[in-house]
Amino acid sequence: MSDKSWGYQPPHDRPKPDWDVDPQTDAVRAGLARSGFGETSEALYLTSGFTYSSAEEARDSFTDEVDHFLYSRFHNPTVAMFEKRLAAIEGAEFCVATSSGMSAMFASLACLVSAGDHVVASASMFSSCHVVITEFLPKWGVTYELVKGNDPQAWAKALSKPTKVVFIETPSNPLLDIVDIAMVSKLAHAVGATVIVDNIMASAILQKPLQLGADVVMYSATKHIDGQGRVLAGAILGSFSYIHEQLLPFVRQTGPSISAFNAWLLVKSLETMDMRVNRMSDNALAIAQYLQNRPEIKSVRYPGLPSHPDHALAMRQMKKGGSTIGIELAGTSKDAFKLMNALRIIDISNNLGDSKSLITHPASTTHRRLSPEVQAEMGITPSVVRVSVGLEHVDDLIKDLDQAFKS
Ligand SMILES: *Cc1c(COP(=O)(O)O)cnc(C)c1O
């Protein structure tokens, strides 16, 4: 064996741009920390722990006197690259990555509440988020109220009481209800509440909740951030004080850590997220326009269509309508199943934000955990299907839907 060092030398830092770079440049470069080998791509540090040059250095690292990675439940170099890059794209002070969207949702909320606190949330929510707020938090003495997303008077009434956290999902999954982030944030701050936005459906490319007044943004990175159907992951973004005083003390001890391997995939995914989300959203608009003229359809829910009840608000707070379309068929669940089974390109799958177009029947899959009454309140009837539009050529997707309707 040769003892060549392959040019290994202590990592060097070239001068950084002295101007504000565009978020797309950040998407490719923010957070990049090269090792002494000078590798082009971000390195995968698949390690649970780190070593110290001396017992003194270990001691000082644990008291934060020395800047040193300690353990991958707390932080990891590859995870840190992903967190810094996503924070730069979002325009947030700080980001913490987690193992799934649900661990992000739970930790973002649980780190803030104690028994006796009150949480207000938008009524249309992903079913697991609904279960956390309406079933788990009450077991620990945290009360809640759900508000119809686009009813300003209902928000004003709910937020006239002391409230610890306001949790909103906009657009909502699966029927794309829109909540006015700026309006709700103002009301929430007046009663001292922290506003958390589940920004999964829009992504950081199309909607910036922190700029609209929210305090915290959370993601399932499983969706548009990975966007290629490979890994589960999540992320929480917010101010330095929220992250360091509230969130980190909670997640470091409870351990919803992301694996370095998954963070490595995601740091590369962020490089192409803008292109992917914009293309998916353009495809989705074309498909929504095609669908609204089909006789088999009762209604199309898509924030980018003027027929959406909150189209104007959606276009104020989002750059485009997003990748997901809610469809209510004129018919029953049998007709919904028949349509899904006749498709030749669009896959039957309950994920979303994927490069592959996917269709699901929320009442029997993603939202089946909710009671029929709660489903009805969210507008999830047996004839509703949700289409997550991917990156295939839009003409083929429309041809696929066309042949499925005709069969
Ligand atoms: C998927 C999803 C989640 C949960 O994310 P996981 O990565 O599956 O844990 C939460 N909220 C919304 C709106 C989602 O679509």
Side-chain angles (χ1 to χ4, degrees):
M1 264 244 323
S2 112
D3 58 359
K4 270 175 76 151
S5 69
W6 301 106
Y8 189 90
Q9 54 181 318
H12 52 268
D13 272 330
R14 290 197 300 156
K16 298 238 169 352
D18 57 3
W19 63 94
D20 276 343
V21 302
D22 187 88
Q24 178 54 26
T25 302
D26 276 333
V28 178
R29 293 190 170 266
L32 176 59
R34 292 197 168 112
S35 81
F37 289 113
E39 64 282 348
T40 314
S41 172
E42 296 71 11
L44 168 53
Y45 291 93
L46 200 56
T47 181
S48 47
F50 302 86
T51 59
Y52 310 90
S53 59
S54 67
E56 288 78 8
E57 189 186 39
R59 177 198 62 203
D60 295 344
S61 301
F62 270 77
T63 56
D64 271 346
E65 275 166 45
V66 170
D67 194 10
H68 199 295
F69 285 107
L70 304 174
Y71 187 50
S72 286
R73 170 149 50 78
F74 301 157
H75 38 207
N76 167 285
T78 307
V79 174
M81 288 192 244
F82 169 61
E83 291 170 336
K84 284 185 185 158
R85 188 164 296 182
L86 184 57
I89 295 170
E90 188 76 43
E93 284 179 10
F94 225 84
C95 171
V96 172
T98 62
S99 56
S100 70
M102 283 320 301
S103 60
M105 184 272 174
F106 179 68
S108 70
L109 195 56
C111 74
L112 291 171
V113 293
S114 312
D117 284 340
H118 186 63
V119 172
V120 174
S122 49
S124 289
M125 258 188 288
F126 183 64
S127 74
S128 296
C129 302
H130 195 276
V131 170
V132 167
I133 289 174
T134 65
E135 295 181 30
F136 295 161
L137 293 188
K139 285 202 293 189
W140 301 319
V142 176
T143 57
Y144 72 90
E145 180 175 345
L146 302 184
V147 177
K148 194 173 174 314
N150 65 353
D151 182 346
Q153 273 156 6
W155 281 109
K157 186 152 169 271
L159 292 174
S160 61
K161 300 185 266 279
T163 302
K164 190 76 184 195
V165 178
V166 173
F167 184 85
I168 52 188
E169 180 178 311
T170 182
S172 69
N173 180 0
L175 282 173
L176 298 314
D177 290 350
I178 305 291
V179 180
D180 187 334
I181 298 171
M183 182 268 290
V184 172
S185 298
K186 227 165 141 187
L187 292 169
H189 291 154
V191 291
T194 300
V195 179
I196 305 176
V197 176
D198 179 334
N199 201 32
I200 290 168
M201 302 295 281
S203 88
I205 302 304
L206 301 181
Q207 179 168 270
K208 294 271 167 47
L210 300 178
Q211 288 175 12
L212 295 165
D215 303 295
V216 177
V217 173
M218 56 126 309
Y219 290 107
S220 163
T222 320
K223 311 294 166 59
H224 299 93
I225 294 177
D226 175 25
Q228 291 148 89
R230 300 168 299 185
V231 298
L232 281 174
I236 305 162
L237 298 107
S239 68
F240 182 89
S241 68
Y242 166 77
I243 298 284
H244 286 82
E245 285 157 31
Q246 314 287 342
L247 185 68
L248 283 179
F250 184 83
V251 295
R252 285 182 171 185
Q253 310 312 323
T254 54
S257 333
I258 187 174
S259 94
F261 180 78
N262 290 357
W264 174 75
L265 275 177
L266 296 172
V267 78
K268 303 306 290 173
S269 301
L270 288 179
E271 297 179 353
T272 57
M273 181 166 69
D274 182 276
M275 288 186 285
R276 287 185 283 106
V277 169
N278 272 297
R279 175 64 72 89
M280 287 156 90
S281 200
D282 294 344
N283 284 355
L285 176 61
I287 291 171
Q289 284 164 341
Y290 155 80
L291 288 170
Q292 64 181 354
N293 301 318
R294 293 293 316 185
E296 298 87 350
I297 280 174
K298 199 165 146 198
S299 67
V300 182
R301 292 276 287 196
Y302 184 67
L305 284 184
S307 62
H308 188 287
D310 293 305
H311 172 67
L313 169 61
M315 292 300 97
R316 254 200 331 273
Q317 61 185 22
M318 295 167 70
K319 279 214 277 218
K320 289 182 182 176
S323 61
T324 310
I325 306 170
I327 304 167
E328 185 166 18
L329 296 163
T332 63
S333 65
K334 242 171 117 182
D335 299 295
F337 279 32
K338 242 164 93 183
L339 172 73
M340 292 167 71
N341 290 338
L343 291 165
R344 297 179 181 200
I345 293 175
I346 301 171
D347 286 307
I348 301 169
S349 177
N350 42 277
N351 198 4
L352 61 88
D354 199 284
S355 54
K356 292 183 171 54
S357 293
L358 308 173
I359 190 166
T360 193
H361 181 250
S364 63
T365 61
T366 51
H367 290 68
R368 71 167 290 176
R369 175 80 174 67
L370 304 176
S371 69
E373 299 77 53
V374 173
Q375 287 193 16
E377 263 168 48
M378 292 189 187
I380 303 170
T381 69
S383 65
V384 165
V385 294
R386 183 193 74 195
V387 179
S388 168
V389 178
L391 292 174
E392 302 92 342
H393 197 286
V394 67
D395 293 352
D396 286 321
L397 297 175
I398 290 174
K399 278 183 199 160
D400 194 22
L401 286 162
D402 219 46
Q403 64 83 26
F405 281 128
K406 283 181 185 139
S407 71

